[in-house]
Amino acid sequence: MLRRVIGLQFPEEIAPGQMGMGWLFLIEGTIKETVMGPRGKPVEVAQSHCFYGKASRISPTDALLRVPAVHALHQRTIAVVGLGALGAPMALEFARNQVGKLRLSDYDHVEPGPTVRWPLGIATAGQLKAEAIHEFISAHYPATQVLPIYHKVGGLRGEGMPSEQEVMDTLLTDASLLIDASADKGVSHFLAETARARGIPFISVYATPGGWGGMVMRVAPGHTRGCWMCLQYHMDTGGTIPVPISDETAGTVQAPGCGDMTFTGASFDLQNVVLAAVRLAVSTLSSGVAGGYATTPWDVGVVQLMDADGSLVAPAWSTFPLEVHPLCPYCHCE
Ligand SMILES: [Zn+2]
């Protein structure tokens, strides 16, 4: 049983040549021990006990000492739509790097099977994905505030449920960045235009069936010339930006008991796409910040992880600026 904690504060050298205050803690209490009694029978007695408790430092300064380039992130709010194999690990990276606020939108529950490529394991099965990630971040990275949002973009609006625009207000008001990890082209289209209408930087990320390739793209207002729809035209018309390679034969499967098709692909392949998207996000959020993370001179990155015959290649990224496409109806409507 804990009786008391004694704290001792003393001057010490906390960095070469820099004096500060150090702490040492003594924890005093009792522990139960079984000893041999007078008639040879074991009896339980409370023994006084005192031990040394190691003091550890935790503050924003201590965290930023190791990654000084992310110092502006605690003032940023990132909205993430889609907490699957790409969006969920991105959210954890943002929290690990001291992003101030996260708004996390997803409509799905954690299933045991997909945990092979999800950042949290089967202990979270049955929870809403947004709630599971919220709980984990609150416990492990409490400097990041998380707002979980249970919502399916474009889904049926139930009785008493907020409208699409009300959800977008909750998600995006004063947001610094919108991440689209929905893996749904229709949702990506809607989110890209919503971000543009609100003047919010937008990043979309997806991986291809088989985990053979992927793409990250961004639209930074005032920096990127084209838009998400321009990118679709650049890819669909065989233009300057290639469609990421995918496994055409075995890249999609239907799991037993699941009504939707899903894609195959390993976590360690998908992480290539996740980390590129996080780098692009942190770079975009650090734009113009003195001492911030490096700037990114491109808007679209396409990665190839496999050859067309399925043999493994070292991750090869091709990067492109996102120019206005002459057929884009959004960029030529004036
Ligand atoms: Zn456009």
Side-chain angles (χ1 to χ4, degrees):
M1 179 194 289
L2 176 68
R3 192 176 291 155
R4 60 179 170 168
V5 177
I6 303 166
L8 303 172
Q9 195 182 28
F10 52 89
E12 70 169 356
E13 189 177 29
I14 57 173
Q18 185 188 344
M19 294 303 289
M21 298 307 288
W23 281 93
L24 186 150
F25 295 98
L26 293 172
I27 295 104
E28 188 183 349
T30 55
I31 54 174
K32 288 181 179 172
E33 281 187 3
T34 304
V35 298
M36 208 54 78
R39 295 177 189 166
K41 290 184 178 177
V43 292
E44 203 170 63
V45 295
Q47 298 275 20
S48 290
H49 191 71
C50 187
F51 62 93
Y52 161 67
K54 186 178 182 305
S56 298
R57 294 172 181 273
I58 177 168
S59 73
T61 308
D62 294 311
L64 293 175
L65 181 73
R66 290 155 181 86
V67 202
V70 302
H71 68 90
L73 297 189
H74 76 281
Q75 298 169 321
R76 302 288 193 261
T77 298
I78 302 180
V80 181
V81 175
L83 295 173
L86 302 181
M90 287 185 71
L92 296 194
E93 277 297 311
F94 291 142
R96 191 175 285 131
N97 286 282
Q98 314 287 304
V99 167
K101 295 179 183 173
L102 289 174
R103 297 177 188 153
L104 306 177
S105 173
D106 197 284
Y107 60 92
D108 208 1
H109 291 79
V110 182
E111 295 281 344
T115 57
V116 291
R117 58 183 183 210
W118 211 62
L120 307 180
I122 56 173
T124 58
Q127 276 189 285
L128 289 168
K129 287 181 180 175
E131 196 52 49
I133 296 291
H134 173 209
E135 281 184 12
F136 184 86
I137 290 176
S138 297
H140 293 269
Y141 305 104
T144 299
Q145 291 178 37
V146 177
L147 176 66
I149 299 172
Y150 177 57
H151 179 68
K152 182 172 186 173
V153 175
L156 285 174
R157 182 181 176 188
E159 186 75 27
M161 298 290 284
S163 69
E164 197 75 56
Q165 285 309 311
E166 287 169 332
V167 174
M168 288 300 118
D169 285 342
T170 303
L171 186 70
L172 297 176
T173 298
D174 299 325
S176 320
L177 176 67
L178 169 59
I179 302 284
D180 160 40
S182 65
D184 182 312
K185 194 172 265 193
V187 173
S188 298
H189 184 180
F190 169 74
L191 293 176
E193 282 310 300
T194 301
R196 180 153 81 158
R198 294 171 182 245
I200 298 170
F202 173 77
I203 287 178
S204 186
V205 53
Y206 70 87
T208 60
W212 282 19
M215 171 176 277
V216 299
M217 66 83 67
R218 75 161 169 199
V219 178
H223 168 84
T224 309
R225 286 181 286 273
C227 73
W228 179 88
M229 185 59 82
C230 288
L231 174 60
Q232 310 312 307
Y233 277 102
H234 284 304
M235 291 194 296
D236 290 348
T237 57
T240 51
I241 300 179
V243 175
I245 188 170
S246 63
D247 181 357
E248 302 291 350
T249 55
T252 51
V253 291
Q254 187 166 15
C258 182
D260 297 320
M261 299 297 287
T262 188
F263 67 101
T264 61
S267 164
F268 46 83
D269 284 329
L270 303 179
Q271 290 297 316
N272 285 278
V273 186
V274 167
L275 296 181
V278 172
R279 294 179 87 204
L280 184 60
V282 175
S283 174
T284 302
L285 290 171
S286 301
S287 176
V289 175
Y293 195 64
T295 54
T296 304
W298 46 267
D299 297 306
V300 180
V302 179
V303 68
Q304 180 173 356
L305 301 166
M306 299 285 182
D307 262 336
D309 64 1
S311 55
L312 190 142
V313 297
W317 283 94
S318 306
T319 60
F320 309 86
L322 180 48
E323 304 289 354
V324 171
H325 192 280
L327 296 177
C328 175
Y330 293 118
C331 294
H332 292 282
C333 60
E334 293 88 5

